[in-house]
Amino acid sequence: MKLLIIAPCLLSPFYVYRGAKGKEYKTARLLRELIGELGEDWQVLAYPCPEYELMGWPRAPASREVYERLGMRERAKIIADFIGRVLTEEKPEKVVFVGVKGSPTCGVFHTSSSDPESYPYSAMQEFFYLSKEERLSRSKEIVGEQGFKLVKMPGILFEILMARFPEGTYIEFDKDDIEGSMERVKSALAELGPDDAA
């Protein structure tokens, strides 16, 4: 058995903090099509969304540092334990992890960064009462006000996963480069084809 472990928002765009937009719908459609083409030796694990598990939905955009302060590391360890249990029990011969570029939790090589001291923590509750259009607008405001930066380091969950499971293949999906990201995922899955068992 081979196992594809994928961030849940890539398959079901409704997990995204502010609600789905066009690029989330397109990403989900293309990845679902790709998964439909995988052979019977592949299984897929979409783990629980760490941000949903901690803060619910909808929620305001937040950086890695803000989620650290909100207690994400403990939640991420629980999800990593779940993934570890699956790997221990199922013993897949190959494992491919797919995360999301810029995610504070599921970024593989890039995450978002900001000053947690200046973050408007009340926005997390505020988002629950906003319509989708209002959330999209308010999200842009918060990102602009907070000066979120893309930095080269993993998100909280993927930092834990890469430390625990270094033998896995790690792919970062960039929803601003869907075609390039799809090629990277396809390439990783193809490299783990039948010839790989030799």
Side-chain angles (χ1 to χ4, degrees):
M1 182 182 82
K2 301 179 180 78
L3 187 61
L4 172 60
I5 300 177
I6 190 164
C9 66
L10 292 173
L11 298 179
S12 181
F14 307 105
Y15 279 112
V16 174
Y17 65 91
R18 51 155 154 70
K21 294 198 315 192
K23 63 184 178 181
E24 280 91 23
Y25 291 125
K26 182 176 180 181
T27 293
R29 179 178 54 80
L30 292 173
L31 283 169
R32 288 191 312 260
E33 287 172 6
L34 177 61
I35 288 170
E37 296 167 5
L38 292 177
E40 61 185 43
D41 55 336
W42 280 96
Q43 292 296 325
V44 178
L45 169 58
Y47 53 82
C49 171
E51 295 164 31
Y52 176 84
E53 290 281 305
L54 184 69
M55 299 305 302
W57 187 90
R59 57 195 174 273
S63 67
R64 177 188 158 115
E65 293 87 354
V66 169
Y67 272 113
E68 284 274 14
R69 184 165 285 191
L70 291 169
M72 179 57 78
R73 188 158 294 275
E74 289 309 308
R75 179 63 51 190
K77 286 178 182 175
I78 292 169
I79 293 170
D81 289 345
F82 163 58
I83 292 170
R85 183 74 179 256
V86 170
L87 295 177
T88 299
E89 292 184 356
E90 302 300 328
K91 299 176 179 50
E93 59 194 84
K94 297 292 178 183
V95 182
V96 175
F97 292 87
V98 181
V100 183
K101 184 175 184 178
S103 169
T105 54
C106 299
V108 182
F109 307 115
H110 299 88
T111 190
S112 61
S113 178
S114 72
D115 177 9
E117 297 295 331
S118 66
Y119 188 77
Y121 289 91
S122 61
M124 284 291 182
Q125 288 297 324
E126 169 195 345
F127 262 58
F128 186 77
Y129 299 100
L130 300 178
S131 69
K132 186 173 184 179
E133 293 73 26
E134 290 169 325
R135 291 193 310 269
L136 294 175
S137 174
R138 184 73 177 112
S139 292
K140 287 180 185 174
E141 287 175 14
I142 292 173
V143 169
E145 291 166 2
Q146 294 300 304
F148 284 19
K149 297 185 297 273
L150 191 67
V151 296
K152 285 188 111 174
M153 67 184 299
I156 298 167
L157 174 62
F158 270 73
E159 178 181 69
I160 294 167
L161 293 176
M162 287 190 282
R164 288 192 191 180
F165 315 113
E167 67 283 353
T169 298
Y170 289 85
I171 308 294
E172 184 169 77
F173 201 100
D174 181 356
K175 289 187 263 183
D176 290 323
D177 178 20
I178 295 173
E179 286 72 22
S181 296
M182 287 299 299
E183 287 307 311
R184 285 189 291 280
V185 173
K186 288 177 184 176
S187 175
L189 298 177
E191 288 173 17
L192 305 175
D195 298 337
D196 197 70

